[in-house]
């Protein structure tokens, strides 16, 4: 069993001695990533700021390596715990090496003079986050993604056992989000770090987290492994999503379906229909989809976006009943699109649907499928 690095007992947090969230019981182990999720304003940042003593507790206690943090000195805490918060840093006349080197302050003397060992560890930290080439660059003249890597190097330079991050992927494009989280996961494995952070991106939280804490209102609504937390029904309820839907299997969000009777029938499958469904949704055109196996890639997106969906049981060839329902629905539509190009024994009936549509003069074909949309 991994050692417990940080835990709380009946923790209460808030502002100006007023409790906003109470009864917080968290246990963070080495080699584990714990992620806080929840709606904006739910209190995720408040919890993190309280854990790092940026805010005074309104009740309970936080223990770091089994010791009450309230009894530990600043330098003792800094040697065990480091922080990367969302606030943007604007240091004047500092290189990236200088910024990363500030992580050594728990180990330097009062004058903060870096030893050769401190310099070596600073460069090592920059190398770990793939930022060694930035060492001599002005910190204010690099990109947001590069800054986050340098700040992560600074946090790692403290040689912490616990790393606290508040929205570490804020301001980053998708490439740098993935890069930063991949580096973080590598550090957790190689150094047995314990990480607690907040994330807004549910798809990323679902993939990187070992333990998920759901913050809602004045309490922790639920916590557990991502496999238990990330269900479509629960995430929709947690965020109070009244419009659109969340798909737990894909970790994706879909807008709500266009209302009205279907004007177009889409013969899809194997993922081919998804971009067509989304395009019709953007254009405000109600459509029908089929025939899709319930285990097909297209199926959950069709359920979310289509006015009507004709489906078949998983791992079965399309049967006569589903074929007839699809044909009847297709007859009511003015147009038919078929982004599907390959047909086999399982979806042979879809090929027949396409031929019916062609005979009826409803099938829109051409080199550019999207020109017909």
């Amino acid at each position: 069993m991994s050692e417990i690095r940080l835990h709380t007992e009946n923790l209460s947090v808030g502002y100006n001695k007023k409790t906003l969230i109470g009864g917080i019981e968290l246990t963070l182990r080495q080699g584990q990533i714990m992620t806080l999720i929840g709606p904006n304003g739910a209190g995720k940042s408040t919890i993190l700021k309280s854990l790092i003593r940026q805010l005074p507790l309104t009740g309970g206690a936080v223990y770091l390596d089994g010791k009450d943090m309230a009894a530990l000195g600043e330098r003792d805490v800094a040697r065990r715990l480091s922080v990367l918060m969302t606030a943007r840093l604007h240091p004047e006349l500092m290189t990236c090496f200088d910024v990363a080197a500030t992580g050594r302050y728990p180990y330097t003397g009062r004058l903060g003079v870096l030893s050769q060992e401190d310099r070596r560890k600073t460069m090592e930290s920059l190398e770990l986050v793939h930022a060694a080439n930035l060492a001599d660059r002005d910190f204010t003249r690099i990109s947001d993604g590069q800054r986050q890597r340098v700040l992560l190097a600074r946090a790692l330079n403290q040689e912490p056992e616990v790393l606290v991050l508040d929205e570490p992927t804020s301001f980053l494009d998708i490439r740098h989000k993935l890069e930063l989280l991949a580096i973080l996961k590598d550090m957790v494995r190689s150094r047995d770090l314990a990480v607690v952070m907040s994330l807004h991106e549910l798809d990323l939280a679902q993939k990187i987290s070992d333990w998920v804490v759901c913050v809602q209102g004045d309490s922790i609504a639920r916590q557990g492994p991502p496999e238990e937390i990330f269900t479509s029904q629960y995430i929709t309820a947690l965020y109070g999503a009244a419009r659109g839907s969340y798909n737990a299997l894909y970790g994706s969000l879909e807008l709500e379906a266009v209302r009205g009777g279907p004007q177009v029938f889409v013969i899809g499958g194997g993922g081919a229909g998804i971009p067509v469904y989304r395009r019709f949704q953007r254009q405000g055109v109600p459509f029908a989809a089929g025939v899709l196996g319930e285990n097909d890639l297209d199926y959950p997106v069709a359920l979310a976006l289509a006015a009507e969906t004709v489906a078949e049981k998983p791992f079965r060839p399309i049967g006569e009943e589903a074929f007839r329902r699809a044909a009847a629905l297709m007859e009511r539509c003015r147009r038919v699109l078929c982004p599907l190009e390959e047909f086999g024994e399982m979806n042979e009936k879809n090929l027949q649907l396409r031929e019916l549509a062609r005979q009826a003069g409803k099938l829109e074909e051409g080199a550019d499928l999207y020109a017909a949309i």
Side-chain angles (χ1 to χ4, degrees):
M1 179 68 71
S2 300
E3 292 184 25
I4 295 174
R5 292 303 187 196
L6 182 146
H7 76 280
T8 67
E9 289 185 1
N10 198 29
L11 180 66
S12 299
V13 302
Y15 295 89
N16 301 319
K17 298 182 180 180
K18 181 180 179 180
T19 296
L20 297 179
I21 306 172
I24 303 170
E25 302 284 347
L26 304 177
T27 299
L28 178 65
R29 299 179 180 277
Q30 67 183 65
Q32 183 183 59
I33 294 179
M34 174 188 288
T35 304
L36 276 58
I37 65 170
N40 285 336
K44 300 183 296 295
S45 294
T46 303
I47 292 174
L48 294 182
K49 289 176 181 178
S50 300
L51 293 178
I52 65 174
R53 306 199 301 190
Q54 199 173 99
L55 290 175
L57 307 181
T58 60
V62 179
Y63 294 89
L64 186 60
D65 279 342
K67 299 178 181 178
D68 190 338
M69 281 182 64
L72 295 175
E74 181 178 330
R75 193 170 291 261
D76 287 334
V77 172
R79 288 184 176 184
R80 295 184 173 94
L81 180 148
S82 59
V83 177
L84 176 57
M85 303 301 276
T86 50
R88 296 201 183 200
L89 190 65
H90 297 284
E92 296 294 330
L93 303 176
M94 291 182 71
T95 65
C96 294
F97 180 90
D98 295 333
V99 172
T102 60
R104 296 304 300 167
Y105 83 89
Y107 306 98
T108 61
R110 290 186 177 181
L111 297 179
V113 177
L114 296 175
S115 66
Q116 283 300 112
E117 180 69 1
D118 291 326
R119 291 182 176 277
R120 184 188 67 78
K121 289 189 174 183
T122 298
M123 280 305 301
E124 184 181 276
S125 296
L126 286 167
E127 288 169 358
L128 284 171
V129 300
H130 311 301
N133 62 317
L134 302 174
D136 297 327
R137 296 273 301 275
D138 185 330
F139 183 78
T140 62
R141 295 181 180 273
I142 59 176
S143 71
D144 286 334
Q146 291 170 326
R147 289 184 190 186
Q148 286 292 75
R149 279 189 282 154
V150 172
L151 293 175
L152 181 56
R154 180 183 68 168
L156 294 173
N157 208 13
Q158 287 178 226
E159 299 181 287
E161 296 170 349
V162 177
L163 183 57
V164 180
L165 308 100
D166 187 19
E167 298 294 345
T169 55
S170 294
F171 318 120
L172 302 184
D173 60 30
I174 186 62
R175 171 197 164 186
H176 291 104
K177 288 179 193 288
L178 294 173
E179 187 176 83
L180 184 73
L181 292 178
I183 291 169
L184 186 61
K185 194 70 175 178
D186 287 343
M187 295 302 98
V188 169
R189 290 174 181 153
S190 63
R191 293 193 170 192
D192 253 350
L193 275 176
V195 173
V196 56
M197 64 179 173
S198 61
L199 278 179
H200 275 305
E201 299 95 332
L202 293 180
D203 55 336
L204 297 179
Q206 183 176 8
K207 293 172 177 65
I208 196 172
S209 308
D210 300 300
W211 192 260
V212 180
V213 178
C214 305
V215 186
Q216 185 181 40
D218 59 356
S219 65
I220 300 299
R222 183 184 293 186
Q223 56 179 303
E227 294 77 19
E228 294 180 6
I229 298 297
F230 287 96
T231 66
S232 301
Q233 183 177 7
Y234 180 68
I235 292 297
T236 300
L238 176 65
Y239 285 86
R243 306 181 67 175
S245 61
Y246 170 79
N247 185 282
L249 293 177
Y250 293 169
S252 63
L253 301 170
E254 298 293 347
L255 299 175
E256 61 184 343
V258 180
R259 296 180 181 178
Q263 300 174 17
V264 185
F265 190 94
V266 182
I267 304 171
I274 293 175
V276 179
Y277 306 157
R278 288 174 176 163
R279 189 152 180 169
F280 277 132
Q281 197 281 336
R282 290 196 301 272
Q283 295 180 351
V285 177
F287 67 92
V291 176
L292 301 171
E294 292 179 355
N295 59 323
D296 193 279
L297 286 171
D298 282 3
Y299 181 65
V301 181
L303 279 184
L305 299 182
E308 295 185 49
T309 301
V310 181
E312 183 57 87
K313 295 295 183 182
F315 309 110
R316 293 184 187 176
I318 297 171
E320 282 296 330
E321 182 184 350
F323 173 76
R324 286 196 298 269
R325 283 190 288 120
L329 183 56
M330 191 171 69
E331 190 174 350
R332 287 162 33 206
C333 296
R334 298 198 304 266
R335 305 157 57 198
V336 177
L337 270 71
C338 183
L340 193 60
E341 296 181 353
E342 296 184 4
F343 301 87
E345 293 182 5
M346 301 294 281
N347 67 343
E348 184 179 357
K349 294 290 187 183
N350 278 339
L351 181 59
Q352 295 179 31
L353 285 175
R354 188 179 73 172
E355 292 307 310
L356 283 177
R358 181 178 285 123
Q359 293 168 16
K362 294 183 177 183
L363 184 66
E364 299 189 3
E365 300 179 275
D368 184 3
L369 173 69
Y370 292 104
I373 300 178

